[in-house]
């Protein structure tokens, strides 16, 4: 624990700088809007499964954003909303959000938006650091500044947040990390690219082709809720997910289109596997993860976009 407190103190100044506009809530809109912020617990007849702001989650408006899945019920969870000082990229200053399981001391998912405003010249503008400001020492494994035997895999990638130093720096917070094999998450000099890296690169290619008014909503993570879906625990503590996933929703002038990626994490290059062989519908991903994605969409829209996966509208598969 002495190592943990030494590490936390070391990054106090950094955290104060990066999280000046940072908010969090304990958990119990449209595009970049955080919703009406209603304090009512009444269920919307047109959207029965939407996240509801309440005293239990501090009336946090961010949970009504389109990229959010349904918050997990039961146990102790925290929703960490990483905000920027600038509202030039998002009207509410939201960079990305994380659901953190305080009992498992692990990230369940990270959700965020992608559009042309998030691309720029800034890359790897920080080093990894703990969010000691918003998590107590008994809510995460403070001794793991690294993941022995694994990469510290960004879930909201540094490469998806290059428009400013502030937004890029925030992606290095450890609550945005999961242990990943290098052969799954990285690349080598021989031209091999990990399957997860290839998925992230493809997602950026789709984002680069968006028009000025289009948005891609993303929710990504690793499986932490079932022992069958866990490879191991580092030091008997930190969960290493067996599977990783992406739920992807594209909004354009043509309406909504949805798809998902699901892949087992293995310690091997898999260049012979196409991305299409790991592409599924959002409805199927919900069955595999138990997570209700894009729950803030109107129910009829959500049902249609989640069950309909048309590979022809997603180039590169």
């Amino acid at each position: 624990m002495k190592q943990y407190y030494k590490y936390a103190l070391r990054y106090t100044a950094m955290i104060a700088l990066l999280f000046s506009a940072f908010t969090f809530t304990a958990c119990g809109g449209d595009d970049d809007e955080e919703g009406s912020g209603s304090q009512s617990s009444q269920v919307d007849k047109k959207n029965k499964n939407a996240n509801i702001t309440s005293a239990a989650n501090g009336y946090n408006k961010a949970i009504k954003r389109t990229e959010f899945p349904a918050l997990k019920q039961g146990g102790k969870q925290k929703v960490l909303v990483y905000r920027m000082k600038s509202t030039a990229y998002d009207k509410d200053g939201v960079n990305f959000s994380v659901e953190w399981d305080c009992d498992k001391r692990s990230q369940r998912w990270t959700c965020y938006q992608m559009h042309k405003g998030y691309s720029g010249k800034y890359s790897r503008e920080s080093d990894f650091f703990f969010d000691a400001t918003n998590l107590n020492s008994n809510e995460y494994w403070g001794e793991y500044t690294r993941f022995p035997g694994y990469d510290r895999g960004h879930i909201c990638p540094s490469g998806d947040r290059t428009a400013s130093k502030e937004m890029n720096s925030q992606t290095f917070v450890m609550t945005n990390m999961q242990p990943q094999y290098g052969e799954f998450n990285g690349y080598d000099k021989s031209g091999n690219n990990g399957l997860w890296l290839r998925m992230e690169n493809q997602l950026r290619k789709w984002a680069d082709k968006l028009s000025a008014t289009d948005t891609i909503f993303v929710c990504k993570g690793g499986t932490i809720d079932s022992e069958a879906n866990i490879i191991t625990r580092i030091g008997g503590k930190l969960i290493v997910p067996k599977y990783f996933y992406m739920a992807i929703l594209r909004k354009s002038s043509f309406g909504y289109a949805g798809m998902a990626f699901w892949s087992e994490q293995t310690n091997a290059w898999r260049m012979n596997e196409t991305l299409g062989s790991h592409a599924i519908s959002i409805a199927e991903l919900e069955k595999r993860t138990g997570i209700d994605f894009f729950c803030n969409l109107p129910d009829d829209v959500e049902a249609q976009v989640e069950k309909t996966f048309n590979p022809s509208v997603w180039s590169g598969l």
Side-chain angles (χ1 to χ4, degrees):
M1 292 303 296
K2 289 182 179 179
Q3 181 181 1
Y4 158 72
Y5 284 114
K6 180 180 179 181
Y7 192 86
L9 288 171
R10 177 184 173 188
Y11 283 97
T12 298
M14 179 184 293
I15 292 170
L17 174 63
L18 294 181
F19 295 94
S20 59
F22 175 96
T23 63
F24 86 99
T25 68
C27 87
D30 291 337
D31 297 0
D32 58 352
E33 296 181 3
E34 293 190 350
S36 63
S38 170
Q39 298 181 4
S40 171
S41 61
Q42 183 177 0
V43 175
D44 187 337
K45 293 181 179 179
K46 294 183 179 180
N47 196 350
K48 296 180 180 179
N49 63 331
N51 286 326
I52 298 173
T53 55
S54 66
N57 53 54
Y59 300 115
N60 190 336
K61 297 179 182 179
I63 66 172
K64 303 290 289 183
R65 290 166 64 94
T66 303
E67 66 265 28
F68 265 75
L71 305 184
K72 183 175 177 59
Q73 303 301 309
K76 185 180 179 183
Q77 331 294 329
K78 283 186 176 180
V79 174
L80 308 175
V81 181
Y82 291 80
R83 298 177 187 267
M84 303 168 285
K85 292 179 181 178
S86 173
T87 57
Y89 314 102
D90 183 283
K91 68 178 289 291
D92 298 304
V94 175
N95 193 359
F96 59 92
S97 303
V98 171
E99 183 173 77
W100 185 261
D101 190 306
C102 300
D103 297 321
K104 299 178 183 295
R105 306 189 188 193
S106 181
Q107 177 227 61
R108 177 164 289 104
W109 46 254
T110 293
C111 67
Y112 57 100
Q113 298 182 13
M114 298 181 73
H115 53 69
K116 288 187 177 298
Y118 286 110
S119 298
K121 64 180 181 179
Y122 296 91
S123 179
R124 302 197 72 83
E125 291 293 325
S126 182
D127 195 6
F128 300 91
F129 61 95
F130 283 121
D131 182 3
T133 299
N134 294 283
L135 294 178
N136 299 322
S137 60
N138 63 348
E139 293 175 335
Y140 64 101
W141 304 116
E143 64 266 39
Y144 288 109
T145 60
R146 295 184 179 274
F147 300 157
Y150 301 86
D151 287 353
R152 290 169 288 188
H154 286 69
I155 302 302
C156 177
S158 166
D160 285 359
R161 289 294 187 262
T162 59
S164 75
K165 181 175 181 178
E166 180 186 29
M167 71 163 60
N168 189 269
S169 296
Q170 287 183 353
T171 68
F172 286 83
V173 65
M174 293 297 289
T175 52
N176 184 45
M177 303 296 150
Q178 284 285 11
Q180 292 183 324
Y181 290 123
E183 288 83 350
F184 185 67
N185 173 60
Y187 60 92
D188 67 10
K189 295 180 180 179
S190 299
N192 289 311
N193 287 277
L195 182 59
W196 183 254
L197 177 63
R198 289 165 55 204
M199 291 176 178
E200 291 184 327
N201 288 340
Q202 184 58 60
L203 182 54
R204 274 192 288 276
K205 289 178 182 179
W206 288 332
D208 288 342
K209 294 180 180 179
L210 294 173
S211 73
T213 58
D214 295 347
T215 303
I216 290 178
F217 306 94
V218 185
C219 185
K220 300 165 60 181
T223 52
I224 67 169
D225 290 317
S226 167
E227 288 299 319
N229 292 338
I230 292 172
I231 294 174
T232 188
R233 284 176 168 80
I234 299 174
K237 298 178 179 180
L238 185 68
I239 290 173
V240 180
K242 184 176 182 179
Y243 298 95
F244 280 87
Y245 61 84
M246 303 183 188
I248 302 166
L249 175 70
R250 183 173 63 202
K251 182 182 179 183
S252 69
S253 58
F254 299 101
Y256 291 97
M259 61 89 63
F261 284 124
W262 168 270
S263 179
E264 182 176 359
Q265 175 174 210
T266 62
N267 193 14
W269 301 112
R270 296 150 70 181
M271 293 295 291
N272 61 322
E273 298 180 23
T274 66
L275 297 185
S277 65
H278 298 276
I280 58 176
S281 69
I282 295 172
E284 177 60 28
L285 182 62
E286 291 181 333
K287 292 179 183 178
R288 299 184 187 189
T289 61
I291 298 173
D292 182 5
F293 297 101
F294 307 119
C295 66
N296 294 319
L297 289 173
D299 287 342
D300 57 342
V301 176
E302 180 187 0
Q304 182 63 29
V305 76
E306 289 182 353
K307 72 179 181 181
T308 305
F309 165 47
N310 184 357
S312 66
V313 305
W314 300 92
S315 60
L317 295 180

